[in-house]
Amino acid sequence: MSANFIPKSFIESLVAAINIVDLIGSRVELKKAGKDHKGLCPFHNEKTPSFIVSETKGFYHCFGCGAHGTPISFLMEHDNLDFVTAIKYLAEKVGMEVPSNDNTNAKKENEQAALLEEITKIYESQLNQSSEVKQYLTRRGINEKSIKKFRIGYSPDSWNFLSSPKLLKRFSEKKLFDAGLIVKNEKGNIYDRFRGRIIFPIKSSSNKIIAFGGRNIDEQLPKYINSPETITFNKSHCLYGLSETYEARNKNAALFLCEGYLDVISLAQIGIMPSVATLGTALTESHVKQIIQRTPKVVFCFDGDEAGKKASLRTVDIVLGFAGGLTEFSFLFLPKGQDPDSLVQAKGKDHFLELAKKSIPLSELMIKIACSEMKNNNAESKSKAISMALTYIQKMRNQLYKDAFITDLADHLKIDKDLIINASNSDTNTFKAMPDKGQPKRSENLFIREAISILVQFPKLANKEIPLDALSKIEAPGASLLVMVLRYIRTADSGITTSMIIEHFRDDDLGKHISKLVSDYVFDDEPIAEKILEDIIKKLSFHGSRSSLAESLAKKFKKQ
């Protein structure tokens, strides 16, 4: 079932029905603290409680690490569930049935997930019956605990193991075909996709098996094959090991992104987690989005050979758009011919972690690449390096990161950074300065953020006399979101809560920032918040009226 097929009205009703204190209290020890509850944060290690849960708002917030959100957000972060699975869990908890406009696909997805679970058990059983394969895994350094944790199995070296009459009677040919487990040739004959291979179940973020990866044990090519894309599996969105190695409590740990299944398993086996791998495809923006939600640092692991260097260049292009956020990216180049699996098997955990400390930050790697062909310090060499660097600068979305990178590059080349800025202006206009005249004052932006936060935390205040017409004339960032929030609250039920508002706007390009605003500007006392809001609205209304007056005057002079 896709999140897009669950009505917003149901989601809002669901979070309204959930007692967030009971939900979180079943996982975290909470104690009453005034009108709220407090406990040790489950998302980072702390000795003094800074984790606050508000029953009336349906919202949690940690003053230590900044974790925040609704009941749905908590399950996604703490229990490592995806959005839809979190909704299903909460719905079952309060006896509500999740409606969907896509019941057909949802049913197919559930049936395929159930089928893959059964096939996994069969493959696990086959592994236990094969001493040869067990010995191979032992030689590769994979212990029994890891075999069980990652549910490793074995597909017998047979063309018709799953497609045998016995199993076809249990699992229909069509279901096995749709799940990518059997193949049909030009003559219409069917046979098993995975034959004589170690099987690595691939899981979704909600811990459901959605596909398989298979590895030969005799080193014949192709060494690895994966399930084809199905209704449950898209390799551009999936990361192997995320479900098995990520834990919310270790949210501050660095995440290692590798190339293969055995890399992930070997790292996890010695306690280096989280560790994940792409599934025979290059890194995608979807992969990066999943990663940055879960860790403050990503270490990309590459072989030190030419192929590894080329792969790192592709990765740089993908992650550049996310640089400057809350997640730091660095690149670890291993000795030639080594991968994380072979390295930790040969040298151990401490050696690998020592190498990881020497990983190269993204900005340093880009400067290194840009300047890699500099033969000397003459103008030609520097011009060539700047031209190369501009290809990176153009892809950077975060202005502060751009400025910092330009400063570092200028220092490295020992030139004035204005030369780089001018070069980028003449080429792409990326850094042309915005005129001060059209920029909103910083205090105005702050007022808008605070106003949104107050209204979301105390929705009843939206019924006060707030001039929407004047506010809608403001051209500052966030003003349109403020108007959207006001209009929504006024048309919603009287019992609307903070968490209901956040979930209503979860998928909106502007509204998705509301949860962060509530976390940044926490108000405990409603009367004080009301007074602050009144003052803000007066100031904003003045700005809006002034904009409206200026617009009227402009039209008047235009007619003249």
Side-chain angles (χ1 to χ4, degrees):
M1 180 187 296
S2 168
N4 296 328
F5 292 105
I6 304 175
K8 282 187 177 182
S9 58
F10 173 79
I11 296 173
E12 292 164 32
S13 299
L14 177 62
V15 293
I18 293 293
N19 185 310
I20 194 169
V21 172
D22 291 344
L23 174 71
I24 296 178
S26 65
R27 294 158 172 80
V28 180
E29 185 177 348
L30 299 175
K31 293 183 179 179
K32 187 77 172 172
K35 59 184 178 182
D36 297 324
H37 287 74
K38 181 184 284 191
L40 293 174
C41 180
F43 301 109
H44 80 289
N45 295 318
E46 62 177 6
K47 295 182 179 179
T48 304
S50 61
F51 184 72
I52 306 296
V53 183
S54 170
E55 184 174 347
T56 54
K57 297 176 183 176
F59 193 77
Y60 66 88
H61 171 72
C62 176
F63 288 95
C65 69
H68 60 274
T70 66
I72 297 173
S73 305
F74 182 81
L75 288 177
M76 291 173 69
E77 291 295 320
H78 185 273
D79 290 20
N80 200 21
L81 304 181
D82 61 35
F83 181 71
V84 173
T85 306
I87 287 176
K88 288 180 178 178
Y89 174 89
L90 292 174
E92 185 177 342
K93 195 171 182 65
V94 294
M96 296 172 69
E97 185 175 346
V98 182
S100 171
N101 300 321
D102 188 36
N103 290 326
T104 304
N105 275 350
K107 184 180 179 182
K108 287 181 180 178
E109 287 177 15
N110 289 333
E111 288 178 350
Q112 186 161 299
L115 168 68
L116 294 175
E117 175 63 32
E118 289 300 308
I119 299 299
T120 298
K121 292 176 181 177
I122 292 172
Y123 283 150
E124 286 177 308
S125 174
Q126 290 298 309
L127 175 63
N128 290 328
Q129 296 174 38
S130 175
S131 58
E132 179 187 356
V133 181
K134 293 287 285 282
Q135 288 170 10
Y136 171 84
L137 290 171
T138 300
R139 288 197 303 272
R140 293 299 303 263
I142 306 303
N143 62 31
E144 193 65 34
K145 186 177 179 181
S146 292
I147 290 173
K148 290 179 180 178
K149 179 183 179 72
F150 289 88
R151 302 195 64 182
I152 299 172
Y154 177 65
S155 60
D157 192 8
S158 168
W159 288 86
N160 61 352
F161 172 66
L162 290 183
S163 53
S164 64
K166 180 181 178 182
L167 288 179
L168 282 177
K169 190 175 180 180
R170 181 176 170 189
F171 311 110
S172 76
E173 178 182 318
K174 185 179 185 314
K175 288 182 179 178
L176 290 173
F177 181 80
D178 289 345
L181 295 169
I182 61 175
V183 180
K184 186 177 290 187
N185 64 19
E186 298 86 351
K187 296 180 180 180
N189 298 322
I190 59 172
Y191 57 91
D192 288 21
R193 180 179 299 276
F194 299 100
R195 305 179 303 278
R197 291 178 180 270
I198 296 171
I199 298 296
F200 301 93
I202 299 166
K203 295 182 179 181
S204 67
S205 59
S206 58
N207 210 33
K208 287 184 178 179
I209 296 168
I210 54 175
F212 296 116
R215 188 196 194 284
N216 268 340
I217 62 174
D218 56 11
E219 304 303 321
Q220 289 185 11
L221 296 177
K223 187 187 292 185
Y224 286 98
I225 61 171
N226 290 326
S227 295
E229 296 200 351
T230 67
I231 58 171
T232 62
F233 177 57
N234 183 326
K235 63 183 179 182
S236 296
H237 301 317
C238 297
L239 288 164
Y240 179 74
L242 187 61
S243 176
E244 291 91 342
T245 68
Y246 174 77
E247 295 177 359
R249 184 170 288 279
N250 294 330
K251 194 174 182 180
N252 292 323
L255 181 147
F256 289 86
L257 194 142
C258 314
E259 189 177 349
Y261 304 108
L262 290 174
D263 295 327
V264 172
I265 295 169
S266 291
L267 289 179
Q269 190 166 275
I270 58 174
I272 299 179
M273 298 186 292
S275 50
V276 299
T278 54
L279 299 164
T281 184
L283 187 74
T284 66
E285 286 202 358
S286 177
H287 292 143
V288 179
K289 287 176 182 177
Q290 293 179 66
I291 292 169
I292 62 177
Q293 292 174 359
R294 294 173 166 87
T295 179
K297 182 174 182 178
V298 180
V299 181
F300 298 102
C301 301
F302 295 99
D303 192 316
D305 61 13
E306 283 305 312
K309 291 175 183 176
K310 286 180 181 178
S312 71
L313 293 178
R314 292 193 295 268
T315 299
V316 168
D317 284 338
I318 294 296
V319 302
L320 256 180
F322 301 91
L326 297 177
T327 301
E328 174 189 337
F329 302 107
S330 66
F331 294 72
L332 174 60
F333 293 95
L334 302 174
K336 287 184 180 180
Q338 296 275 27
D339 55 31
D341 171 40
S342 62
L343 193 62
V344 297
Q345 297 292 349
K347 301 285 187 176
K349 178 179 181 178
D350 292 342
H351 178 79
F352 182 85
L353 291 178
E354 280 301 313
L355 283 179
K357 289 178 183 178
K358 299 174 184 176
S359 60
I360 306 171
L362 173 61
S363 59
E364 289 183 21
L365 180 62
M366 287 187 291
I367 291 174
K368 186 176 180 180
I369 294 169
C371 302
S372 61
E373 295 185 24
M374 283 186 66
K375 306 298 180 186
N376 49 51
N377 284 324
N378 61 27
E380 288 80 7
S381 289
K382 289 182 178 180
S383 177
K384 190 174 182 179
I386 292 171
S387 295
M388 178 64 187
L390 286 176
T391 63
Y392 293 136
I393 292 169
Q394 292 163 15
K395 296 172 184 174
M396 296 175 187
R397 300 172 190 164
N398 186 295
Q399 186 64 47
L400 289 175
Y401 187 82
K402 286 180 184 178
D403 293 341
F405 177 77
I406 287 176
T407 300
D408 288 349
L409 178 62
D411 289 344
H412 184 84
L413 295 174
K414 294 182 173 57
I415 61 173
D416 191 317
K417 71 176 184 179
D418 287 341
L419 291 173
I420 303 173
I421 294 174
N422 290 337
S424 60
N425 280 341
S426 62
D427 187 29
T428 65
N429 291 319
T430 304
F431 291 94
K432 280 187 176 175
M434 295 293 289
D436 291 338
K437 185 178 178 182
Q439 290 295 302
K441 293 181 180 178
R442 189 175 181 182
S443 58
E444 191 175 16
N445 293 341
L446 177 63
F447 291 153
I448 291 170
R449 292 197 294 268
E450 287 186 333
I452 294 171
S453 182
I454 290 171
L455 286 168
V456 174
Q457 292 179 69
F458 304 102
K460 288 187 292 185
L461 298 181
N463 295 320
K464 298 184 69 65
E465 293 183 11
I466 300 176
L468 276 172
D469 290 342
L471 294 180
S472 63
K473 299 290 183 182
I474 300 173
E475 296 181 355
S480 59
L481 178 59
L482 173 58
V483 173
M484 281 169 55
V485 169
L486 264 170
R487 285 180 173 150
Y488 168 66
I489 294 175
R490 286 178 173 179
T491 57
D493 294 336
S494 58
I496 192 168
T497 64
T498 302
S499 59
M500 291 168 70
I501 299 169
I502 291 170
E503 291 302 340
H504 177 83
F505 287 101
R506 176 184 282 272
D507 297 321
D508 186 272
D509 287 340
L510 288 173
K512 64 186 178 184
H513 300 293
I514 290 176
S515 183
K516 182 70 166 62
L517 288 175
V518 173
S519 175
D520 287 343
Y521 305 99
V522 178
F523 295 91
D524 293 323
D525 193 294
E526 185 171 350
I528 293 176
E530 182 176 3
K531 194 170 183 180
I532 293 172
L533 180 65
E534 287 176 355
D535 185 51
I536 289 173
I537 295 301
K538 284 178 185 177
K539 291 174 180 175
L540 291 178
S541 298
F542 172 73
H543 287 301
S545 299
R546 189 172 59 185
S547 298
S548 182
L549 177 61
E551 188 179 314
S552 299
L553 288 172
K555 289 179 180 177
K556 183 178 179 181
F557 284 120
K558 203 170 184 180
K559 289 177 181 178
Q560 293 176 351

